[in-house]
Amino acid sequence: MAHFEKANSLNEWLDQRLAVNTLQRVLQTEYWIPKNINFLWAMGMVLAITFGILLVSGIFLLMYYQPNVDTAFDSVNYTIMREVGFGWLWRHVHAVAASVVFLIIYIHMFTGIYYGSYKKGREIIWISGMLLFVAFSAEAFSGYMLPWGQMSYWAGMVITNLFSAGSLELNGVVEWIRGDYVPAQAFLTRFFMLHVLLIPLAILALIGVHFGALRIPHVNNQDGEEFDFDVEAEKYKAGDKKSSKVIAFANDFLSKDMFVVAVYLVFFFYLVFWNYGFAMDPVNFDPADGLKTPAHIYPEWYFLWSYEILRPFSKDIGLIAFAFAQVIFVLLPFLDRSPNAVPARRRGLFFIWFWLMLIDMIALTAMGKLPPEGIYSTIGLVAAVAFILLWIALPIITMFEKKV
Amino acid sequence: MENESRRGFMGKAFGAVSGVGAVASLYAMKRSWDPLPSVAAAGFTTVDLASAEPNALVVEKWRGKPIFILKKTPEMVAAQTEEATARDVIVGGENFLIAIGLCTHLGCIPSYRKDSSDFLCACHGGKFDSSGIDTQLPPPSPLVIPPFKIDGTTVVLGEEGPEYAKMKESGLIA
């Protein structure tokens, strides 16, 4: 039996049993964040808050949603939207957050790429982040199935067909994933399970890894400057906060972080109350019909760039290009051969690469939304080829980069 | 030393037992995702073609998939290539297209255009002629002909008759 002294306060009592003071010190008051950062460093917190919003709104939707092919559509569009008090609020919050979370993920990603925050010890942060992107994509897709409208059904049909791997004709695999020849009851129930349990569990675990991977290499800064966090922390603790290059995570950094979060939430709730339409495709307000394909099938905006990479090629080449686009970002820390972990503007050719990649992905997104005809097809093809060429060029241009 | 070998043995024994358990559970999980027997067994659709109109697409449902049935006009038959005619199903002396109505690219349903007697897939712009042969990318292959058996003027989908077997032999059905 361990020995415990009589505690003089609730805090002491808890500290004896749970080491709450040590936890607070390690996780907050003595977790050090560089000073030389900007608002883009708040995107992680914005994402965490958005994930929290998705979780809470999802819990309320879960109370009335029915994962049944006959009742799913009405449980969303009638029960939740018209009968449940404030049901519309949870639905619009959930739909808008699911869309906006990808916008923030892309900003977070491209911030990391610009400032070189994926190399020199930060590889696991990058890889776990890209795995989170995959998990969020799967979460978005499985959630898109649930209202069981026309877009749900046909997106389900098209995306599960990808697993037949083109000319390999692995129809058995596709039918195994669906549990039927076509998306039907078995399909809806299993994607419901994935959406509300298995994928959220994976996301939580990955967030744990993502945060944990930050502790040893620490947060990057605006100049990619390398410094000794222990030395700077000692300065801060000794009272020399002015010349120290770091601040404490809480409350110093957190107060600035939450300011950005607050600005973001104003924008977020503006969308929820006045401009939620972009997150709700009108075609999905028609119930699923397995015998009628909608005139135009396109994914949500955040998948358009990879969809556009699939589209202009013949089936097998399209699938290979698509698979390439899905995995290539994970390999970024290893394809970038340069020794420099500094902002792109100081890296010569890489700076041009960064902006070309960003513009190319915006072009792919725009073309993915337009019908595959005439000039749009051509621009889409050029942008898709450019995407692949840019990745092939990356190891070459970074290999010749001079040490700064 | 003796203790270590005993622990080593315990470790290996535990590893072996849990390995068998893991494989068995994975098998159970895989089987739980399989289509249910009732779903897998559902599956013969009989269609009577006696009343079909020429150049009017009939869409039937077989195993949850749309089946295109198109009675061709004599002009259409006369205009088509030998390759296309080989894909025709002859019922009661008339030429029919019978095919699964899913684009061979990613499974959307192409729509039939009466005037040009061809199929256009709205998803990615693929085209098929009235025999289901792909005429414009991205679809990589013609529309798939489902297993069928001719019985007088009716066709049973899901059963392999001699005409289907013949098509399969000549390589029309992958």
Side-chain angles (χ1 to χ4, degrees), chain A residues 264 288 363 395 404:
Chain A
Y264 159 75
V404 293

Coordinates of all heavy atoms in Angstrom, one line a residue, chain A residues 264 288 363 395 404:
Chain A
Y264 N -12.6 32.9 -36.6 CA -13.1 31.8 -37.5 C -14.5 31.4 -37.2 O -15.3 31.2 -38.1 CB -12.2 30.6 -37.2 CG -12.8 29.3 -37.7 CD1 -12.9 28.9 -39.0 CD2 -13.2 28.3 -36.7 CE1 -13.4 27.7 -39.4 CE2 -13.8 27.1 -37.1 CZ -13.9 26.8 -38.4 OH -14.4 25.6 -38.8
A288 N -32.7 8.3 -53.2 CA -31.8 7.4 -54.0 C -32.7 6.6 -54.9 O -33.7 6.1 -54.6 CB -31.0 6.5 -53.1
A363 N -6.8 25.0 -60.0 CA -7.3 24.8 -61.4 C -8.0 23.5 -61.5 O -9.1 23.4 -62.1 CB -6.1 24.9 -62.4
P395 N 11.9 16.0 -56.5 CA 13.2 15.5 -56.0 C 14.4 16.1 -56.8 O 15.4 16.3 -56.2 CB 13.1 14.0 -56.2 CG 11.7 13.6 -56.5 CD 11.1 14.9 -57.0
V404 N 21.1 27.0 -47.3 CA 21.0 28.4 -47.0 C 21.5 28.6 -45.5 O 21.5 27.7 -44.7 CB 19.6 29.0 -47.1 CG1 19.2 29.0 -48.6 CG2 18.6 28.2 -46.3

